[in-house]
Amino acid sequence: MDFDQLAERGYVVVPNFLEAPYCQRLFDYAQSLQASDWQQAGIGRADQYTTNTAVRQDKIRWLQRDIELERAYLTMMDDLRLQVNRELFMGLFDYECHLAHYPPGAFYRKHLDAFKGRSNRILTTVFYLNPEWQEADGGQLVMYGERGNVLETILPEAGKLVVFLSDVFVHEVLAGNRDRFSITGWYRHNTSINGVIDPTR
């Protein structure tokens, strides 16, 4: 990963972050999950959490360490957290992430992942699992600049990792024509009080 680019621009797009066979394993795993393994994604946190399908239509599954494949991904991303801290001194404390499934036609309207001073989410990561994805399949991640200008339109191709500052970049997920899978996560600061860490979700 280009840490200099992340420091200078606040975001980085990494093609082929993981090798194809491992991406395929994650993709096959996501496809094998039952409907009961997923929950309707919501917006907000804690007592302000709500679902609103006019804003967000994906389904999610939070990764846990008691399942081997999920644990391996979490461990790998924790190793990346340590690298970021060594290179950029960001003081990242932990990581949370979920699988996301966007059925055909599903979208997520423009939003920020964190608001300055109101969240401990610092860096957002999005890792894509979709083999042989084409422009015509849609489902792009669109990232916006301060004036609402489009900075990047990113195709959700298998193996691609996107990392960006959670409280800086407004972004959205466009509707796609195929089932679309990704793993979305956040590196967080520790804003615990009396040893109780902030609610993760």
Side-chain angles (χ1 to χ4, degrees):
M1 191 169 84
D2 190 333
F3 294 104
D4 289 338
Q5 191 174 92
L6 179 59
E8 292 167 9
R9 300 194 312 184
Y11 73 93
V12 63
V13 181
V14 187
N16 304 312
F17 178 69
L18 294 179
E19 295 180 355
Y22 184 65
C23 295
Q24 188 66 47
R25 284 184 63 203
L26 288 167
F27 179 73
D28 292 343
Y29 172 69
Q31 284 197 309
S32 74
L33 293 169
Q34 303 299 309
S36 58
D37 294 321
W38 300 90
Q39 66 184 81
Q40 184 65 49
I43 53 178
R45 294 176 65 163
D47 59 351
Q48 296 181 335
Y49 182 88
T50 184
T51 58
N52 183 347
T53 55
V55 174
R56 182 177 187 181
Q57 296 182 330
D58 58 317
K59 298 182 183 301
I60 64 171
R61 171 188 170 81
W62 291 94
L63 268 62
Q64 306 293 331
R65 293 190 179 274
D66 56 354
I67 296 175
E68 181 181 357
L69 193 62
E70 296 186 9
R71 180 172 65 249
Y73 185 85
L74 288 166
T75 299
M76 178 189 62
M77 296 304 284
D78 201 53
D79 290 342
L80 181 60
R81 176 183 67 84
L82 297 176
Q83 291 180 50
V84 173
N85 282 345
R86 281 196 299 268
E87 296 289 336
L88 302 180
F89 308 100
M90 294 190 72
L92 304 176
F93 175 72
D94 67 358
Y95 182 72
E96 59 175 351
C97 68
H98 61 63
L99 278 164
H101 173 212
Y102 287 80
F107 55 78
Y108 193 167
R109 300 300 190 203
K110 289 182 181 179
H111 64 284
L112 271 174
D113 283 353
F115 294 96
K116 291 185 183 298
R118 294 176 55 194
S119 174
N120 60 357
R121 288 178 172 176
I122 305 302
L123 274 184
T124 298
T125 70
V126 187
F127 181 68
Y128 295 110
L129 308 180
N130 312 291
E132 300 179 2
W133 197 274
Q134 306 295 321
E135 286 286 350
D137 295 322
Q140 293 90 343
L141 173 70
V142 183
M143 294 179 56
Y144 295 92
E146 291 181 358
R147 296 175 176 83
N149 53 306
V150 174
L151 294 176
E152 300 277 350
T153 301
I154 300 164
L155 203 63
E157 301 166 294
K160 184 181 291 181
L161 177 72
V162 185
V163 182
F164 57 89
L165 292 170
S166 302
D167 64 356
V168 171
F169 296 100
V170 172
H171 55 286
E172 67 176 322
V173 177
L174 303 182
N177 302 314
R178 294 168 49 189
D179 288 290
R180 175 191 187 278
F181 293 94
S182 59
I183 304 177
T184 301
W186 298 271
Y187 290 113
R188 308 189 309 140
H189 280 171
N190 183 5
T191 57
S192 61
I193 300 174
N194 296 327
V196 178
I197 297 174
D198 249 13
T200 58
R201 49 187 180 274

